[in-house]
């Protein structure tokens, strides 16, 4: 039997049906706090519960296109603004009982960008909000979205250590103080301003000076801050470790060698 004959005789109904969905963990910083996009489901299953924006992948689109479509439908983003959003696959979630309707495998995506607009609930959602991640425990979440969110937050916090993705939360030009605020917001820890400034400028390709400065000094006066833009680095070396991880690494370096 050649391939054409095989495909002509192939019956997909001979195998259990499995559906594929995409879910998007969209993060942005609003009013100095890390926020997550959630929708309140208007239909069963889990009607009234809060969930990530997402839905079934259409027959004519790939996974990334499906994730971008879902994000656009819930945020109103389109065109160049949508292309500026950082979007990456987070992981696959396929526990047999994760969806009561049928076997559904979800490919979760992580997205973040600055100044994402107020959401507009889609046709199957009762509401849509940007929720501070610190308030997540106050919401009943549908499916296994709590696990997906936990994984996404850890991915975001970890990637800021080794990749220059913190700049994707900012405008095209920014100050080192604004960059530090992103790290503090995502990590949930205050950082020493001087040490952070020194570390950022010591990483080749992380940021580059625009040669310009802010129009005025800080809130307490003083000199105007220099403006930077994202550099061409793909990875940060040396990495900017979270305070707890940096302290662990420092203790290991102090530990006497077994040799």
């Amino acid at each position: 039997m050649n391939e054409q004959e095989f495909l002509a005789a192939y019956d997909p109904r001979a195998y259990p049906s499995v559906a594929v969905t995409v879910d998007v963990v969209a993060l942005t910083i609003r009013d100095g706090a890390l926020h997550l996009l959630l929708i309140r489901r208007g239909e069963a299953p889990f009607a009234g519960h809060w969930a990530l924006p997402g839905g079934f992948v259409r027959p004519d689109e790939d996974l990334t296109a499906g994730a971008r479509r879902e994000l656009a439908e819930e945020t109103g983003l389109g065109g160049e603004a949508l292309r500026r959003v950082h979007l990456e696959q987070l992981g696959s979630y396929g526990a047999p009982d994760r969806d009561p309707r049928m076997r559904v495998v979800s490919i979760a995506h992580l997205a973040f960008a600055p100044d994402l607009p107020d959401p507009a609930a889609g046709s199957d959602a009762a509401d849509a909000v940007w929720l501070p991640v610190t308030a997540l425990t106050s919401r009943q979440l549908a499916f296994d979205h709590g696990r997906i969110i936990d994984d996404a937050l850890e991915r975001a916090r970890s990637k800021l250590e080794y990749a220059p993705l913190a700049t994707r939360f900012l405008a095209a030009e920014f100050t080192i103080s604004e960059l530090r605020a992103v790290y503090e917001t995502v990590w949930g820890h205050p950082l020493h301003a001087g040490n952070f400034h020194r570390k950022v400028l010591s990483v080749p390709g992380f940021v580059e000076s625009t040669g310009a400065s802010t129009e005025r000094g800080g809130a307490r006066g003083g000199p105007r801050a220099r403006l930077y833009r994202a550099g061409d680095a793909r990875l940060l070396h040396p990495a900017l470790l979270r305070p707890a991880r940096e302290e662990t690494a420092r203790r290991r370096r102090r530990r006497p060698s077994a040799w």
Side-chain angles (χ1 to χ4, degrees):
M1 182 182 295
N2 61 33
E3 187 163 343
Q4 265 189 330
E5 293 170 334
F6 168 79
L7 292 175
Y10 183 80
D11 183 5
R13 294 172 298 181
Y15 301 92
S17 296
V18 177
V20 177
T21 61
V22 288
D23 289 304
V24 181
V25 184
L27 301 174
T28 195
I29 294 176
R30 297 163 68 92
D31 301 322
L34 186 64
H35 281 64
L36 167 78
L37 179 61
L38 288 180
I39 60 129
R40 189 158 59 86
R41 291 181 59 82
E43 302 174 357
F46 297 104
H49 285 57
W50 292 89
L52 297 168
F56 290 95
V57 177
R58 294 174 178 173
D60 60 344
E61 65 185 2
D62 63 19
L63 297 173
T64 301
R68 288 194 178 278
R69 172 180 53 78
E70 290 291 344
L71 183 60
E73 289 174 357
E74 301 297 347
T75 63
L77 282 179
E80 183 60 30
L82 185 60
R83 284 190 288 272
R84 288 201 304 268
V85 174
H86 173 82
L87 183 71
E88 64 178 68
Q89 281 194 21
L90 171 66
S92 54
Y93 298 82
D97 58 351
R98 66 178 301 275
D99 191 312
R101 292 169 293 189
M102 62 180 298
R103 182 72 187 272
V104 177
V105 175
S106 178
I107 310 301
H109 289 69
L110 174 63
F112 47 83
D115 303 323
L116 290 177
D118 290 333
S123 58
D124 59 347
D127 197 6
V129 298
W130 284 109
L131 183 75
V133 297
T134 54
L136 271 171
T137 54
S138 66
R139 305 294 170 115
Q140 269 192 313
L141 297 176
F143 306 106
D144 52 359
H145 288 186
R147 177 191 170 193
I148 296 175
I149 292 169
D150 287 343
D151 291 349
L153 292 173
E154 177 55 31
R155 167 76 68 85
R157 290 163 181 155
S158 177
K159 292 207 76 166
L160 261 60
E161 295 183 302
Y162 298 100
L165 295 179
T167 60
R168 303 298 286 269
F169 282 101
L170 297 167
E173 295 185 354
F174 51 85
T175 66
I176 298 297
S177 294
E178 289 170 337
L179 182 63
R180 186 180 79 250
V182 171
Y183 275 88
E184 291 178 334
T185 300
V186 176
W187 285 351
H189 294 283
L191 302 172
H192 187 278
N195 288 345
F196 181 83
H197 193 283
R198 174 182 52 80
K199 289 177 182 178
V200 167
L201 296 186
S202 71
V203 179
F206 186 7
V207 299
E208 58 184 34
S209 175
T210 65
S213 301
T214 56
E215 293 184 0
R216 56 184 67 176
R220 300 181 180 179
R224 296 182 298 171
R226 294 179 180 178
L227 289 171
Y228 295 83
R229 65 172 67 94
D232 58 3
R234 298 288 186 89
L235 295 174
L236 303 184
H237 184 73
L240 275 69
L241 299 180
R242 281 171 275 183
R245 286 168 52 82
E246 187 174 29
E247 180 59 30
T248 299
R250 188 179 295 115
R251 283 200 295 265
R252 286 175 177 170
R253 288 194 295 268
R254 292 174 184 164
R255 190 177 301 161
S257 172
W259 297 99

